[in-house]
C-alpha cells in the first residue's frame, strides 16, 4: 500500500508519519504545500492512499485536484468542524479531526483496508465540498443545558458557560457565576451541540467560550495558557497540536 502525507505543518506531518509507522503503514513521502504536491503528482505514480490536510500554507488542498486528476483514496486531516464535513463521508474513506488521536487513526486505516477501494471507482466532488466549507449548512446549536441539583432541575444557558471540561470521568460546565455543574454527556457528544464560532476544544479536557477569555499567555513547549473570567480551578492549556488552529479560530 503506497501512502503519502500532504500537511503544511512539518511537526504534525512527522507525528502522523510516526503514528502510521506504528500501525505498519509505510509513508512514501511527506509533502507540505499545494505547489509541491502538484509537482510531485506530475512526476510520480499516484499512491493508494493520501492523508490530506485541507488548509495548506499556499492555499486549499483542493487546488491540487484542479491541476491534477488524482484517483487515490483520501483520508482528510482537518480542524474544520465536524458538521461541515458531512460531504466527505459520502465521497471519501474517512476524515480525522486535529489533533489526530492514535485510536481514531487506527480505525480509519482499518476501514480503508477493509474497503480496499479500486482507484477508478473513487469520485470526489471537490466543488461541492468547497461550497460546504465556505458556506456551511445552517444548523441550530444547543442554547441551554439541564442538570439535576438536589431535587431541582437547573437550566444552564450555553452563553453563560465559560468552559466545559472533563474530570474523573465526568463532564462539567463552569459558568460565569463561578459554579461548576455535572452534565449527563461527554465532551465528544458536545462537539455537535456547541456553536464552533463560540466554543473551541483546546485540548482533550477543555472546550472554552471565546467571550469568556480574559488572557492568553505563552506556555512551555510552544503551547498557550488560557485564563478565563471566573474559572481558575485548573490550568487550561492549548495543546501544541491545536495552537495554530486556535489562533486561526480567534480571528
Amino acid at each position: 500500500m503506497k501512502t503519502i502525507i500532504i500537511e503544511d505543518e512539518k511537526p504534525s506531518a512527522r507525528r502522523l508519519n510516526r503514528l502510521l509507522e506504528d500501525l505498519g503503514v509505510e509513508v512514501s513521502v511527506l509533502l507540505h504545500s499545494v505547489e509541491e504536491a502538484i509537482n510531485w503528482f506530475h512526476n510520480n505514480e499516484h499512491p493508494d492512499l493520501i492523508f490530506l490536510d485541507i488548509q495548506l500554507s499556499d492555499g486549499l488542498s483542493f487546488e491540487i485536484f484542479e491541476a491534477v486528476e488524482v484517483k487515490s483514496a483520501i483520508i482528510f486531516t482537518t480542524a474544520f468542524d465536524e458538521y461541515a464535513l458531512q460531504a466527505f463521508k459520502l465521497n471519501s474513506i474517512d476524515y480525522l479531526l486535529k489533533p489526530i488521536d492514535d485510536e481514531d487513526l487506527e480505525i480509519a486505516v482499518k476501514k480503508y483496508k477493509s474497503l480496499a477501494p479500486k482507484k477508478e471507482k473513487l469520485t470526489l466532488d471537490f466543488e461541492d465540498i468547497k461550497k460546504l466549507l465556505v458556506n456551511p449548512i445552517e444548523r441550530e446549536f444547543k442554547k441551554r443545558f439541564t442538570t439535576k441539583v438536589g431535587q431541582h432541575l437547573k437550566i444552564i444557558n450555553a452563553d453563560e458557560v465559560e468552559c466545559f471540561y472533563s474530570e474523573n470521568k465526568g463532564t462539567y460546565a463552569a459558568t460565569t457565576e463561578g459554579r461548576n455543574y455535572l452534565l449527563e454527556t461527554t465532551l465528544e457528544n458536545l462537539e455537535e451541540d456547541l456553536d464552533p464560532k463560540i466554543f473551541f476544544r483546546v485540548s482533550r479536557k477543555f472546550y472554552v467560550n471565546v467571550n469568556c477569555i480574559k488572557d492568553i499567555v505563552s506556555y512551555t513547549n510552544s503551547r498557550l495558557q488560557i485564563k478565563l473570567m471566573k474559572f481558575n480551578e485548573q490550568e487550561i492549556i492549548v495543546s501544541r497540536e491545536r495552537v495554530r488552529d486556535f489562533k486561526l479560530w480567534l480571528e
Side-chain angles (χ1 to χ4, degrees):
M1 182 173 72
K2 186 176 181 181
T3 304
I4 69 169
I5 294 171
I6 305 176
E7 161 69 67
D8 64 332
E9 290 185 329
K10 293 183 180 181
S12 295
R14 290 193 294 267
R15 177 178 179 271
L16 178 55
N17 190 15
R18 289 195 300 271
L19 292 174
L20 287 169
E21 286 178 350
D22 292 341
L23 295 174
V25 177
E26 183 178 348
V27 177
S28 304
V29 67
L30 308 180
L31 304 172
H32 305 294
S33 68
V34 172
E35 182 180 4
E36 185 181 12
I38 290 173
N39 291 335
W40 188 89
F41 280 115
H42 278 314
N43 295 287
N44 294 273
E45 181 184 352
H46 293 192
D48 300 300
L49 178 61
I50 302 169
F51 284 87
L52 176 67
D53 188 13
I54 292 175
Q55 189 105 33
L56 299 174
S57 57
D58 56 345
L60 289 175
S61 58
F62 302 124
E63 295 173 27
I64 298 168
F65 307 101
E66 293 170 357
V68 181
E69 184 181 357
V70 177
K71 295 181 179 178
S72 309
I74 297 172
I75 295 177
F76 292 95
T77 62
T78 179
F80 278 99
D81 301 289
E82 186 171 355
Y83 79 91
L85 297 172
Q86 296 308 306
F88 295 170
K89 284 187 174 180
L90 301 176
N91 295 298
S92 67
I93 295 304
D94 212 338
Y95 64 86
L96 298 167
L97 291 175
K98 295 181 179 179
I100 294 173
D101 180 81
D102 51 357
E103 292 183 4
D104 292 339
L105 177 62
E106 183 176 7
I107 291 170
V109 170
K110 286 181 177 178
K111 182 178 177 182
Y112 166 75
K113 290 181 177 179
S114 68
L115 294 176
K118 295 182 179 179
K119 291 183 181 179
E120 64 269 21
K121 289 187 177 180
L122 183 73
T123 57
L124 286 164
D125 193 333
F126 290 106
E127 286 304 315
D128 281 353
I129 295 173
K130 280 199 292 185
K131 289 175 186 176
L132 188 60
L133 291 173
V134 174
N135 298 300
I137 298 170
E138 290 295 326
R139 59 167 292 183
E140 286 292 321
F141 297 98
K142 288 193 73 166
K143 291 182 171 58
R144 65 188 65 89
F145 298 83
T146 58
T147 185
K148 191 174 181 181
V149 180
Q151 299 300 313
H152 302 271
L153 200 61
K154 169 73 175 176
I155 298 173
I156 306 168
N157 293 322
D159 58 5
E160 296 173 351
V161 177
E162 287 197 337
C163 68
F164 294 92
Y165 67 96
S166 61
E167 185 177 46
N168 297 326
K169 297 184 179 180
T171 300
Y172 296 82
T175 70
T176 52
E177 298 175 336
R179 299 286 301 276
N180 300 327
Y181 296 97
L182 178 64
L183 304 178
E184 294 184 357
T185 187
T186 65
L187 288 187
E188 285 67 31
N189 289 338
L190 282 173
E191 189 163 24
E192 295 190 9
D193 293 334
L194 300 178
D195 186 343
K197 295 178 182 177
I198 305 299
F199 290 94
F200 186 89
R201 189 168 187 176
V202 297
S203 67
R204 288 178 182 270
K205 290 188 63 175
F206 282 96
Y207 270 102
V208 298
N209 183 336
V210 66
N211 298 314
C212 298
I213 295 175
K214 180 172 65 175
D215 197 8
I216 303 171
V217 185
S218 296
Y219 201 73
T220 57
N221 295 326
S222 302
R223 295 176 295 170
L224 297 172
Q225 181 181 14
I226 295 175
K227 296 182 183 295
L228 300 177
M229 300 297 183
K230 291 281 188 180
F231 183 86
N232 58 10
E233 297 179 21
Q234 298 182 40
E235 285 187 328
I236 303 177
I237 307 300
V238 183
S239 61
R240 188 166 57 180
E241 296 86 356
R242 303 236 71 181
V243 167
R244 176 174 176 265
D245 299 326
F246 176 68
K247 289 179 178 177
L248 291 172
W249 175 73
L250 289 174
E251 297 174 0

